[in-house]
Amino acid sequence: MVREANMKQAASEKQLKEARGKIDMLQAEVTALKTLVITSTPASPNRELHPQLLSPTKAGPRKGHLRHKSTSSTLCPTVCPTAGHTLPPDKEGKEVDTVLFAEFQAWRESPTLDKTCPFLERVYREDVGPCLDFTMQELSVLVRAAVEDNTLTIEPVASQTLPAMKVAAVECGSTNGFRAPIDTRPPWPPLLSPSTCALSGLARACRHRIRLGDSEGHYYISPSSRARITAVCNFFTYIRYIQQGLVRQDAEPMFWEIMRLRKEMSLAKLGFFPQEA
């Protein structure tokens, strides 16, 4: 009976840990969603969220979506010059590519996740594909499919492995009168050592791991690989929000947000990623 109780306790602790990880992901998703959805109504518009309602003397640079500071930054305030707006002063010059903007506008008329449309086909070819092209090709294909299906989970790795627990004072005929320690670590073995990235195959300190779909197996990944996956996930999250009608903005700021997300994918592919605390 004691053994059965301990097995149930271990299973419960495992489920609790997984549930906490899912809760953290849902909270992050809700936070991102709140920043993307404009909550003002036609009867009572929020002028902070609709700078076009401000007078020319009071209107300042448009603010974009404030996303999580670890994965993104403030939306570029530059707007499309073809709409009659002037580019605000900025340290980095920007200019709308008319071909890209035309492809985006055509896609925005009828948003789809079909990667054969000109807009997404270009993003796949120039950004998504290279960003998820890792050394371990077989796993790279699985990761890309999971990202597209929105079934990939990224979890932080605990700083220490769960210790073996000793149950209290149960006589079981041992010499010291106590039951032997029970190992409560997850029953599945890690697919690679936490010091080796499953995607690059390089020896790196892996602080996160990924799970594909409902599989119980985990793959440990390096900070660089995590940044590349996160950059692609951020892009897909945003275009899904657009497809679902959750982003209510003009075409120009939406276009520049997508360009910023594409820039993040390019930088991550080149090896740039934020340092973890």
Side-chain angles (χ1 to χ4, degrees):
M1 294 176 62
V2 173
R3 180 179 181 183
E4 182 180 356
N6 290 325
M7 292 177 64
K8 290 181 178 179
Q9 180 182 0
S12 298
E13 291 176 353
K14 172 189 171 184
Q15 293 176 355
L16 177 61
K17 182 178 179 182
E18 293 179 349
R20 286 176 176 173
K22 292 181 179 179
I23 290 173
D24 291 339
M25 291 183 61
L26 290 174
Q27 289 177 340
E29 187 78 4
V30 170
T31 301
L33 183 58
K34 286 181 178 179
T35 63
L36 289 173
V37 179
I38 296 178
T39 57
S40 61
T41 62
S44 179
N46 187 329
R47 295 180 181 273
E48 290 294 328
L49 296 176
H50 297 273
Q52 68 271 18
L53 298 178
L54 298 176
S55 62
T57 57
K58 295 182 179 180
R62 294 190 179 184
K63 294 182 180 180
H65 306 303
L66 300 178
R67 298 168 65 87
H68 194 281
K69 63 181 180 180
S70 64
T71 58
S72 59
S73 58
T74 305
L75 173 65
C76 167
T78 309
V79 295
C80 177
T82 60
H85 301 286
T86 58
L87 294 174
D90 200 333
K91 295 181 180 179
E92 183 180 15
K94 297 178 180 66
E95 182 177 349
V96 171
D97 185 296
T98 56
V99 175
L100 299 181
F101 190 72
E103 291 177 351
F104 167 71
Q105 284 188 309
W107 174 84
R108 182 170 173 266
E109 292 296 325
S110 181
T112 176
L113 297 181
D114 182 5
K115 54 188 176 183
T116 61
C117 71
F119 167 68
L120 287 182
E121 191 277 331
R122 179 187 295 274
V123 177
Y124 266 88
R125 184 180 71 254
E126 298 180 357
D127 302 305
V128 174
C131 200
L132 296 182
D133 183 18
F134 295 97
T135 303
M136 303 301 180
Q137 290 293 316
E138 184 175 353
L139 182 56
S140 297
V141 173
L142 298 178
V143 168
R144 175 168 169 171
V147 170
E148 293 176 354
D149 296 337
N150 200 22
T151 58
L152 182 142
T153 304
I154 301 179
E155 303 172 344
V157 177
S159 57
Q160 294 181 352
T161 305
L162 289 176
M165 295 180 59
K166 180 178 287 187
V167 296
V170 178
E171 293 188 11
C172 57
S174 61
T175 57
N176 58 7
F178 292 92
R179 183 177 176 84
I182 297 177
D183 191 356
T184 61
R185 289 174 296 181
W188 61 85
L191 300 183
L192 276 180
S193 168
S195 61
T196 303
C197 177
L199 288 168
S200 67
L202 300 177
R204 297 289 186 270
C206 300
R207 299 181 181 180
H208 292 80
R209 62 187 185 182
I210 58 175
R211 186 172 70 243
L212 308 179
D214 297 328
S215 172
E216 291 188 342
H218 292 82
Y219 299 88
Y220 290 93
I221 58 174
S222 66
S224 175
S225 296
R226 173 180 176 256
R228 291 167 65 171
I229 295 174
T230 301
V232 177
C233 288
N234 287 344
F235 169 77
F236 276 105
T237 298
Y238 189 68
I239 64 172
R240 287 192 186 102
Y241 286 160
I242 296 176
Q243 184 193 33
Q244 296 166 11
L246 299 177
V247 183
R248 302 185 182 280
Q249 284 188 319
D250 294 335
E252 296 86 352
M254 292 170 61
F255 172 78
W256 281 113
E257 174 67 356
I258 288 178
M259 293 303 102
R260 186 189 63 76
L261 293 171
R262 293 188 62 183
K263 180 179 179 181
E264 282 190 357
M265 287 189 282
S266 297
L267 291 175
K269 167 60 180 175
L270 294 174
F272 296 96
F273 60 90
Q275 290 291 340
E276 299 178 357

